[in-house]
C-alpha cells in the first residue's frame, strides 16, 4: 500500500541559498539508472540515493533551497504502474504550497508515460514539475546525471526576469539540454545521451551557456486552484497494426474482459486495413462500449481520418482520431478521461480535444 505523503521525510540538501526568498524546489527520487549500481548478479538495479550532495558537489553551488524526498522503494521505471502516478500526484499536491517547483528523478524507460500521466492528473498546474534522470548512474565518471539534474532544478525554480511569474507552469521532461512538454515526450534512444524527442511540438527550453526558454511555446493558463485527480481507468490496451496481423490477434486484444479503451496504432495518417473481418472486430468492440483512439505509428505528422479510403470506415465506426498525439500521451489520456466517469458524449468530446497540450488544435 502507498504510504501517506505526510509520512515521507524531507532531507534538506546543503546549497548556497542564503537569501530568505531563495526559490524552494522539492526533488522526488523515484529510481532509475541515475541512482543505480551493479548488484551481485552483475545487473544494474535501483538503490537508495546515498548522500546525493557528496556525489554531486555542484548542487552546493545552486542558489536554491532543495529538499530531497526519496521514495521508500526506488524502482527501475519499467516497473512503474498507474498506482505510482496517483501517489506521486498526491505527493506533489501535499507539498504544493511549500515549494516553487518540483523535480522528479525517474528512470528514462517510462518517463514519457509518467510525465504525460502527471500532466493529466495535475489539473490547473501553476508550478513546474520537471522529470529528469540519466543514462548512466550518478557515480559513473561520464554520467549525464549532473548535467540533467542541475539544470532541471534551475528550470523548476525559474521565474520571468521582469514579471517574476513562474516560467514553466507545466509538466516537462528535461534531458540532454532540452526541455520537452510532458505530453509530447518520447524516448527514442537507449544508448546515447539524447534519449528524448519532442514529438510534433517545439521544445519549451534549451540549455546552452544560458537557459533559453521558448515562452511562446509554454502553456499559460488562467490561474486556477490545483486539482489532483485520483482516478485512472486501467482497462486499456494498445493494438499496433502490422501487415499480416490476424483476426485472432485483433479479436484477442479487443476482446479482453473489462477493456474500456484501446489505442489503435495505425499507419501513416491514420490508415488501417479495410478487410471485412478487421472492421467487424472493431465494430464488435465499439458495440461493447470500448473506446478506440487512432494514433499514427509515424513519429511526426497527424491522423486525418477520412483522408484515405483506408481510414474512412474508422470514423464511421466511431473511432476517435488522435490527431498528432503520442502513444504515451494517448494511453494515459484514455486512462484519465475514462476514469472521470462521464457520459458518452462528454468522453468523445474530451478524447478529441486538447487537454494538456498533447495535440495541436
Ligand atoms: N531501466 C532504466 C529505467 O528506466 C533506464 C534509465 O533510467 N536510463 O529505470
Amino acid at each position: 500500500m502507498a504510504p501517506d505523503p505526510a509520512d515521507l521525510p524531507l532531507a534538506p540538501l546543503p546549497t548556497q541559498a542564503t537569501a530568505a526568498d531563495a526559490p524552494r524546489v522539492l526533488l522526488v527520487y523515484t529510481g532509475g539508472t541515475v541512482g543505480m549500481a551493479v548488484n551481485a548478479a552483475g545487473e544494474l538495479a535501483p538503490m537508495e540515493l546515498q548522500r546525493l550532495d557528496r556525489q554531486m558537489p555542484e548542487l552546493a553551488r545552486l542558489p536554491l533551497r532543495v529538499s530531497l524526498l526519496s521514495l521508500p522503494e526506488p524502482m527501475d521505471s519499467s516497473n512503474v504502474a498507474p498506482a505510482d502516478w496517483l501517489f506521486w500526484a498526491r505527493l506533489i499536491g501535499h507539498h504544493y504550497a511549500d515549494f516553487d517547483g518540483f523535480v522528479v528523478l525517474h528512470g528514462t524507460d517510462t518517463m514519457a508515460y509518467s510525465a504525460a500521466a502527471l500532466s493529466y492528473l495535475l489539473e490547473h498546474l501553476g508550478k513546474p514539475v520537471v522529470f529528469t534522470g540519466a543514462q548512466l548512474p550518478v557515480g559513473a565518471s561520464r554520467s549525464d546525471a549532473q548535467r540533467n539534474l542541475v539544470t532541471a532544478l534551475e528550470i523548476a525554480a525559474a521565474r520571468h526576469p521582469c514579471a517574476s511569474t513562474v516560467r514553466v507552469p507545466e509538466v516537462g521532461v528535461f534531458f540532454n539540454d532540452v526541455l520537452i512538454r510532458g505530453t509530447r515526450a518520447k524516448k527514442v534512444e537507449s544508448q546515447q545521451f539524447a534519449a528524448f524527442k519532442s514529438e510534433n511540438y517545439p521544445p519549451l527550453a534549451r540549455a546552452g551557456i544560458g537557459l533559453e526558454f521558448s515562452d511562446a511555446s509554454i502553456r499559460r493558463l488562467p490561474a486556477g486552484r490545483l486539482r489532483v485527480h485520483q482516478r485512472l481507468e486501467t482497462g486499456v490496451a494498445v493494438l499496433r497494426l502490422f501487415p499480416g496481423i490476424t483476426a485472432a490477434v485483433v479479436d484477442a486484444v479487443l476482446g479482453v474482459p473489462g477493456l474500456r479503451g484501446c489505442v489503435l496504432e495505425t499507419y501513416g495518417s491514420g490508415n488501417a486495413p479495410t478487410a471485412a473481418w478487421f472492421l467487424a472486430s472493431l465494430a464488435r468492440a465499439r458495440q461493447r462500449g470500448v473506446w478506440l483512439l487512432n494514433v499514427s505509428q509515424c513519429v511526426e505528422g497527424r491522423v486525418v481520418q477520412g483522408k484515405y479510403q483506408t481510414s474512412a470506415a474508422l470514423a464511421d465506426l466511431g473511432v476517435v482520431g488522435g490527431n498528432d498525439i503520442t502513444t504515451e500521451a494517448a494511453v494515459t489520456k484514455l486512462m484519465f478521461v475514462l476514469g472521470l466517469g462521464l457520459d458518452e458524449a462528454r468522453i468523445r468530446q474530451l478524447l478529441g480535444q486538447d487537454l494538456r497540450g498533447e495535440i495541436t488544435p
Side-chain angles (χ1 to χ4, degrees):
M1 221 182 63
D4 185 332
D7 292 341
L8 296 180
L10 305 189
L13 298 180
T15 63
Q16 243 180 32
T18 42
D21 61 349
R24 290 162 303 177
V25 181
L26 180 64
L27 175 59
V28 180
Y29 171 59
T30 70
T33 297
V34 62
M36 289 189 187
V38 177
N39 66 13
E43 309 145 342
L44 271 175
M47 299 282 160
E48 274 176 39
L49 207 52
Q50 302 283 356
R51 295 302 312 258
L52 186 64
D53 49 326
R54 284 208 195 132
Q55 306 216 54
M56 286 182 60
E58 47 279 86
L59 288 179
R61 289 197 283 272
L62 285 171
L64 314 172
R65 281 178 288 170
V66 182
S67 294
L68 173 65
L69 189 158
S70 290
L71 295 185
E73 285 176 33
M75 54 185 153
D76 187 303
S77 75
S78 299
N79 282 319
V80 167
D84 299 303
W85 299 332
L86 295 173
F87 177 61
W88 302 342
R90 280 206 300 284
L91 200 64
I92 290 170
H94 178 78
H95 292 287
Y96 194 68
D98 298 330
F99 290 90
D100 298 292
F102 302 83
V103 171
V104 182
L105 265 180
H106 189 290
T108 56
D109 288 346
T110 61
M111 192 185 289
Y113 289 90
S114 294
L118 269 285
S119 304
Y120 292 116
L121 292 176
L122 301 172
E123 190 171 357
H124 301 303
L125 183 68
K127 298 181 178 182
V129 175
V130 185
F131 279 76
T132 194
Q135 294 283 62
L136 284 173
V138 63
S141 51
R142 293 181 54 254
S143 178
D144 49 339
Q146 283 78 356
R147 197 160 145 203
N148 290 342
L149 179 53
V150 167
T151 310
L153 289 165
E154 286 181 342
I155 291 171
R159 300 199 145 255
H160 275 280
C162 13
S164 191
T165 49
V166 174
R167 198 83 197 238
V168 192
E170 291 210 30
V171 177
V173 167
F174 179 76
F175 218 89
N176 197 49
D177 293 340
V178 183
L179 179 68
I180 301 168
R181 172 171 294 159
T183 52
R184 296 286 190 165
K186 183 179 276 295
K187 182 169 179 182
V188 291
E189 249 300 341
S190 62
Q191 300 300 314
Q192 306 294 321
F193 289 137
F196 289 89
K197 176 175 162 48
S198 183
E199 209 171 299
N200 286 312
Y201 198 74
L204 305 184
R206 284 183 194 279
I209 291 175
L211 248 179
E212 284 173 25
F213 292 93
S214 303
D215 289 319
S217 304
I218 296 171
R219 258 158 79 91
R220 214 151 276 289
L221 301 171
R225 232 178 100 85
L226 177 73
R227 179 167 175 209
V228 179
H229 289 270
Q230 278 298 292
R231 270 165 62 189
L232 288 172
E233 169 59 58
T234 52
V236 301
V238 178
L239 177 61
R240 185 177 173 93
L241 302 183
F242 58 91
I245 193 168
T246 60
V249 169
V250 175
D251 285 342
V253 174
L254 295 182
V256 166
L259 189 72
R260 297 261 347 264
C262 182
V263 172
L264 208 56
E265 281 199 336
T266 58
Y267 310 123
S269 48
N271 306 320
T274 48
W277 66 263
F278 178 74
L279 297 176
S281 184
L282 299 196
R284 281 195 297 278
R286 289 289 305 130
Q287 274 156 17
R288 290 198 325 276
V290 176
W291 286 93
L292 300 172
L293 187 53
N294 185 354
V295 177
S296 174
Q297 293 177 17
C298 295
V299 285
E300 297 288 337
R302 64 186 56 230
V303 164
V304 186
Q305 290 191 151
K307 179 177 177 191
Y308 287 87
Q309 194 188 20
T310 45
S311 66
L314 301 180
D316 296 342
L317 286 170
V319 175
V320 180
N323 197 335
D324 57 353
I325 197 170
T326 61
T327 294
E328 292 84 339
V331 170
T332 48
K333 185 174 187 176
L334 268 181
M335 290 180 175
F336 173 67
V337 171
L338 297 179
L340 292 172
L342 304 169
D343 64 36
E344 293 252 319
R346 189 82 178 117
I347 290 175
R348 174 167 297 283
Q349 187 193 7
L350 291 190
L351 286 180
Q353 150 186 338
D354 177 36
L355 300 181
R356 303 286 190 270
E358 72 276 15
I359 58 176
T360 310

